[in-house]
Amino acid sequence: MYLSPLSTATGYTPGSLWSILLVLPLLLMGLSYGLGAYCFWYRNTTRASPHDLSFTITPSYPPTQRFQPMSRSPRSRFPLEIVLAIIEHAQYDESLQVDRSLLRACSLVCTEWSTAAQKLLFRNVILRSSSDYASLQMAVDSTTAKGRVLGDAIRHLRVILDHNQPLGLSERLFAEAVLLCPNLRELNLSLFGSASPGRDIIGSPSHLRMRRPAPSFDEGTLALLRCGPQISRLHFTNWSDNQLSLTQLLSVWPMLESLSIGGNAPELPPIASEPFPCALAELNMNFQHPPSLDFMDWLLHNSTETLRVVGLEQDPSTRFLEYLVDMHGSKLESISLPSCSHDQARALHRCSALRQLIVESPLATPLCYRNPSQCLEHMALGLNRMTPLQGVMDSIKSQHSLKAVTVHLWGGEEHSSFSSLKIACAYRGIPIRVTRDIRVFRRMVRGDLIQGPEC
C-alpha cells in the first residue's frame, strides 16, 4: 500500500484525515453555541442598575465678554424760563393774533410745559355766555393751587353782555367774573340791548340796532366791581340806547390810564356831576357821530397835563380836532386819524411834541407829512398808486428825529415811486415795515410809540 509523505510524517492515514475534516465543523458549531450561552448568562447576572439621564445640546460659541449696560447720564432739563420765552415769542401768528391752537398743543407736550402754556392761554379770556362763566369758575378755582395760578395769569378780559340772547351773560355774573381775576389790567366790554319780540329785523340799519334798550348796572353789580381789581385800561362799546352805562363804569375805576369808547356816542347824565376824576394818558374813540364838546370837557377835565395818545377811527370834524389840539396839543405825542384834510393838517402842525403820526387813508394831503413836528419819530401811512409821496420823501430826508416808517399797501398795489421811498429810508438807516393787511397795520402801530427823551 502506498503511503503519502504526510501520512508517513504524522502517523495518520488518509481515512483518518477525512474524518477529522468532517468532524471539525461540528466542533466549531458547538463551540460557538457554548460561547453564546455563556455571554447570555454573564449579561443577566451583571446587569447595571438603570439611571435617568438627560442631555442639553447647546451650540458652542467663542468666548465673549459679558454685556454691561451703559450708565445713563442724568437727564438735562431745559430751563423753563427759556421755554416760556420761546413760547411767548411764537404765540403770535402772521396777523399778530394769539395762536391759541399752538398754545393748546404746547400745553400737551409735558407737565412742565403745560403750566407755562396754560398761563399764556389764560392771559386773554373771552366770556360770551353763562356757560363760559361756569367753565372759567371751575378752571380758576381758588381752592386749588393750579386754579390760583391760572386766575393770577388773567390780564385781559373780554366780556359781551347781550340782552338779546336768552343764555347770555348776566350783569351779576360779569361782576363775579371780574372778581375771579385779581391781576386784571384790561377790560373789554361790549353792551347790546334787547329788541322787542318780532321787531329785531336782521339787516336793518346799524343806527336802528344801536337804539335797542338795555338796563343800567344795578348797585349790587357796581359794588362788586368796586371790590375787584383796579384796572388801568377800559374798552367799552355801547350798542344800546343806555346813556348811563359809561358814566357808571367810569365811576368804578378812578385810576384808569387808557380809555377806548365806541358805538353809540355817550352823553352827559341828566344831573350834572363832578368831572371825571381820572388823568388819562390815552384816549381812543370810534363813533359815527362824535360826542358833544361838553362831554369831552367832563371826560378830559383832569387830563390836560397827562393825555399823550389820541386815536380816532372815524373821520372827525375839523372843529372837534381843533378842540383836542387847543386843549391838549402841547402834550400830545401820538395821533391816529383815518384821513387828513388841509385844515386838519394845519391843526396837527400845532402839536409841537408829536412823535408819532398815523394816517390810514392813501389819499391824505401831503401837507400832513411835511415836517409836522421836530420830534417826529414814527410815521405810518396808507399807500396806493394815487398817493402823493413827495411830502413823505421830504420828511424822510429832512426829519432827523425819524426812526421808523410803516406802510400799508392798499389793494396790494405798489406806488411807482415806492422803490425810491425804500431807498431813501435805507440811505438814512430808517427801518420800513410793509403790510397789505389793514388789521396787521393797526396792530403794528398800536402802542408803538418809541420811548425816548421828550423834546
Side-chain angles (χ1 to χ4, degrees):
M1 177 178 66
Y2 173 76
L3 296 176
S4 65
L6 177 61
S7 301
T8 305
T10 58
Y12 290 98
T13 62
S16 63
L17 290 174
W18 285 109
S19 299
I20 294 173
L21 292 174
L22 292 174
V23 175
L24 182 61
L26 297 175
L27 294 175
L28 292 176
M29 185 179 297
L31 181 63
S32 62
Y33 280 116
L35 182 61
Y38 174 79
C39 291
F40 177 78
W41 171 81
Y42 181 81
R43 185 172 55 186
N44 289 335
T45 55
T46 62
R47 181 178 295 176
S49 60
H51 294 279
D52 293 333
L53 299 178
S54 61
F55 300 92
T56 302
I57 301 176
T58 57
S60 177
Y61 293 102
T64 57
Q65 292 184 352
R66 187 175 180 180
F67 176 75
Q68 296 290 339
M70 297 180 62
S71 60
R72 293 184 177 181
S73 59
R75 185 179 65 175
S76 60
R77 298 179 179 272
F78 206 63
L80 190 58
E81 295 80 3
I82 299 179
V83 173
L84 183 59
I86 295 174
I87 297 177
E88 286 182 345
H89 181 75
Q91 66 175 326
Y92 297 100
D93 55 19
E94 295 180 354
S95 60
L96 301 182
Q97 291 276 32
V98 176
D99 190 349
R100 303 186 70 85
S101 61
L102 172 66
L103 295 180
R104 293 190 189 99
C106 291
S107 67
L108 301 176
V109 172
C110 61
T111 304
E112 295 178 347
W113 284 34
S114 177
T115 301
Q118 288 184 1
K119 287 176 65 176
L120 294 177
L121 274 172
F122 276 79
R123 182 175 292 181
N124 299 276
V125 176
I126 302 176
L127 299 180
R128 296 184 176 90
S129 62
S130 56
S131 60
D132 291 346
Y133 168 78
S135 300
L136 175 66
Q137 188 181 35
M138 293 179 60
V140 299
D141 185 6
S142 60
T143 61
T144 63
K146 185 175 182 180
R148 290 190 295 270
V149 169
L150 297 181
D152 294 341
I154 300 176
R155 296 293 188 273
H156 177 272
L157 178 63
R158 182 183 178 188
V159 178
I160 299 175
L161 294 179
D162 192 349
H163 294 282
N164 210 40
Q165 298 295 329
L167 300 178
L169 193 70
S170 65
E171 297 175 354
R172 185 79 175 188
L173 293 182
F174 154 62
E176 293 180 358
V178 173
L179 293 178
L180 296 176
C181 314
N183 296 325
L184 187 66
R185 294 293 176 266
E186 184 174 352
L187 174 63
N188 190 329
L189 177 62
S190 298
L191 177 62
F192 295 86
S194 176
S196 301
R199 300 187 60 183
D200 189 19
I201 303 175
I202 299 177
S204 60
S206 58
H207 67 276
L208 297 179
R209 300 175 67 87
M210 288 170 56
R211 294 296 178 180
R212 297 186 299 188
S216 301
F217 296 102
D218 56 50
E219 289 301 326
T221 299
L222 296 176
L224 286 176
L225 291 175
R226 291 188 180 97
C227 296
Q230 290 297 315
I231 64 175
S232 59
R233 302 176 66 89
L234 174 63
H235 301 253
F236 179 63
T237 306
N238 184 13
W239 300 106
S240 72
D241 63 354
N242 192 316
Q243 300 294 330
L244 299 178
S245 300
L246 177 60
T247 54
Q248 286 181 313
L249 293 174
L250 294 179
S251 67
V252 173
W253 296 291
M255 302 301 293
L256 284 178
E257 299 177 1
S258 174
L259 177 63
S260 299
I261 48 180
N264 194 12
E267 298 178 1
L268 283 176
I271 301 177
S273 60
E274 294 294 328
F276 181 50
C278 290
L280 295 176
E282 180 178 357
L283 176 64
N284 296 284
M285 294 187 294
N286 184 12
F287 300 110
Q288 293 183 350
H289 302 284
S292 64
L293 298 183
D294 293 336
F295 176 82
M296 298 301 298
D297 287 334
W298 174 86
L299 181 65
L300 300 177
H301 179 79
N302 294 310
S303 304
T304 305
E305 299 296 327
T306 60
L307 191 62
R308 296 290 185 269
V309 179
V310 171
L312 304 175
E313 296 191 27
Q314 299 291 336
D315 196 12
S317 64
T318 303
R319 181 188 177 193
F320 189 83
L321 183 60
E322 288 180 347
Y323 163 81
L324 291 175
V325 172
D326 291 339
M327 298 299 297
H328 310 279
S330 61
K331 300 294 183 180
L332 286 181
E333 297 181 359
S334 175
I335 293 181
S336 176
L337 298 172
S339 184
C340 187
S341 64
H342 284 78
D343 294 337
Q344 293 170 339
R346 283 192 289 266
L348 292 178
H349 281 214
R350 289 153 49 194
C351 301
S352 57
L354 193 64
R355 297 166 58 192
Q356 178 173 255
L357 176 61
I358 304 169
V359 181
E360 294 185 0
S361 174
L363 300 179
T365 176
L367 182 62
C368 67
Y369 303 114
R370 187 172 286 112
N371 298 327
S373 168
Q374 296 300 320
C375 303
L376 188 66
E377 299 178 357
H378 181 204
M379 185 165 52
L381 65 146
L383 182 66
N384 65 8
R385 293 183 178 181
M386 303 299 295
T387 303
L389 278 181
Q390 189 58 45
V392 179
M393 299 286 290
D394 293 342
S395 182
I396 292 175
K397 295 176 180 179
S398 61
Q399 198 77 42
H400 298 289
S401 59
L402 194 63
K403 297 179 180 179
V405 175
T406 304
V407 177
H408 170 228
L409 296 179
W410 282 84
E413 298 175 352
E414 293 189 2
H415 195 281
S416 58
S417 301
F418 186 51
S419 299
S420 301
L421 176 65
K422 292 189 289 186
I423 292 174
C425 291
Y427 181 78
R428 286 282 316 279
I430 299 174
I432 180 172
R433 301 178 296 181
V434 182
T435 178
R436 300 176 185 270
D437 191 335
I438 184 61
R439 297 170 299 178
V440 175
F441 175 80
R442 290 171 179 171
R443 295 188 188 101
M444 290 170 65
V445 300
R446 185 179 302 165
D448 199 31
L449 190 62
I450 301 174
Q451 298 297 325
E454 296 185 356
C455 293

